[in-house]
Structures are given as structure tokens and as C-alpha cells.
Amino acid sequence: MLSDDTPMDDLPLEYKAKNTSFPQISDEMVASVALGLEDELIVASRHGLSVEQYQELAAQPWFQLQVQVKRSEYEKNGVTFKAKAAWMAGELLDQVYVTAASGDASLSQKHEVLKTLIKAAGLEPKEEKVKDSGPGFSISIDLGGGQSISLSNQQGLSPVTHVPVTLDAEVKEIKNA
């Protein structure tokens, strides 16, 4: 028996909202639906849901809330705009290529398309950046016999083939008088 403080609707049980558990719903599916680049039914089928299962899922308030939260996050961070721009660029890519590859395109048009494609593909030559590791130094060590070795933070360890010049100096002893 029900106690008096338990709320009850007057609706028959078969007309009440049903809460269904969908343990197989991944974050990736929620993200794909929120992004909106594909039809929701395509996303659902990719994740193993039938049309009927997805319709039942889409009616669940918790799922709607998850999608809305993710959609808001994407819009706030610019993810939606960037993803749509990338998709549109991909759609136009084939048209641009066909136009550039046709005989009607001038050499300068073809060159511009080529430069754009190289840049988009990340195929531009990279400039080597030289790391500055601080102040430079160099140490030369005379090994004798005309050999010396030089240490430097710029060149590493490298043998020196030149013979160091030694000045013959007359050594005089100075006595205190």
C-alpha cells in the first residue's frame, strides 16, 4: 500500500514518460550529435543503434541535456565553427582541383591552387630554428706534438688541424734588490 505522502499521477502507466537506460552511449556519439556535421541517424547507426532506438534515446531528457551541454561547449570554444569551416573546405577542394586542372585555368591560377594545397597539407619546407643555448664559449687544449683539441658550445668536440703558434720569449729572473 502507498502512504499518503507519495505523489501519484492520474495517468495510466503506459502513458507516462519512460526512462530507458542506454549504457552503450559513448562520449564520442554525444560529441558527434552535438557537432551536427552529420545526420543524427547516421551517427546513431555508426554506434550500433537502430532508427527506433535512436528516436527513443533522443526523447530522453538526460540525452538532450548531454547534447546541449556539449553543443554549448563547442560553440563557446569555436569548435563548431572550425569543424564546419574544415568540412566546407573539404567539400570545395574537389571543385577547386577540377577547375585548376582544366585547360581553361591559367598558369598563375594553377600555381596559386598548388601553393594553397601545399600549405593546407603541411608540406611547406620547415625552417630550421637555431636554439640559442646562452653565451658562447670556446676552450682550446694543446695536446703537444702540434695537436690541439677545441671545445665549444657552438660546434661540439672537434679536432683542430692547425698548429698553435708559440712565441719564444726570453725569461728573465727579476731579483729584488
Side-chain angles (χ1 to χ4, degrees):
M1 221 116 179
L2 294 172
S3 67
D4 292 333
D5 59 346
T6 305
M8 287 289 292
D9 294 358
D10 290 338
L11 296 173
L13 291 177
E14 64 268 10
Y15 295 126
K16 289 186 177 184
K18 296 176 186 175
N19 287 328
T20 307
S21 175
F22 288 91
Q24 71 272 21
I25 303 307
S26 67
D27 290 340
E28 194 273 328
M29 181 177 168
V30 172
S32 295
V33 170
L35 197 54
L37 293 180
E38 299 176 280
D39 185 79
E40 293 176 358
L41 293 176
I42 292 172
V43 174
S45 69
R46 187 171 62 237
H47 289 273
L49 296 176
S50 68
V51 173
E52 294 80 20
Q53 288 173 321
Y54 180 73
Q55 288 172 341
E56 186 177 345
L57 174 66
Q60 299 299 314
W62 64 267
F63 182 73
Q64 294 169 358
L65 181 62
Q66 279 189 333
V67 170
Q68 189 56 42
V69 166
K70 187 57 89 173
R71 190 171 286 148
S72 296
E73 176 187 324
Y74 284 166
E75 288 173 2
K76 178 182 173 188
N77 296 331
V79 172
T80 306
F81 179 80
K82 290 176 187 175
K84 286 183 180 179
W87 174 79
M88 290 174 185
E91 289 291 313
L92 288 175
L93 182 62
D94 292 335
Q95 294 174 19
V96 169
Y97 174 76
V98 169
T99 302
S102 73
D104 297 336
S106 69
L107 183 59
S108 65
Q109 290 171 324
K110 290 179 182 189
H111 185 254
E112 283 301 313
V113 169
L114 179 62
K115 287 191 322 187
T116 302
L117 293 175
I118 287 172
K119 185 175 182 178
L123 299 175
E124 291 177 311
K126 306 267 190 264
E127 291 183 22
E128 290 187 27
K129 296 181 180 177
V130 178
K131 287 186 180 178
D132 187 17
S133 60
F137 70 89
S138 179
I139 300 173
S140 294
I141 302 171
D142 186 1
L143 299 174
Q147 300 256 340
S148 70
I149 196 163
S150 200
L151 300 171
S152 170
N153 70 342
Q154 303 293 324
Q155 300 171 349
L157 184 63
S158 62
V160 178
T161 57
H162 71 276
V163 178
V165 176
T166 306
L167 296 175
D168 289 328
E170 189 176 312
V171 179
K172 293 183 182 180
E173 188 175 321
I174 301 175
K175 294 184 182 179
N176 289 338

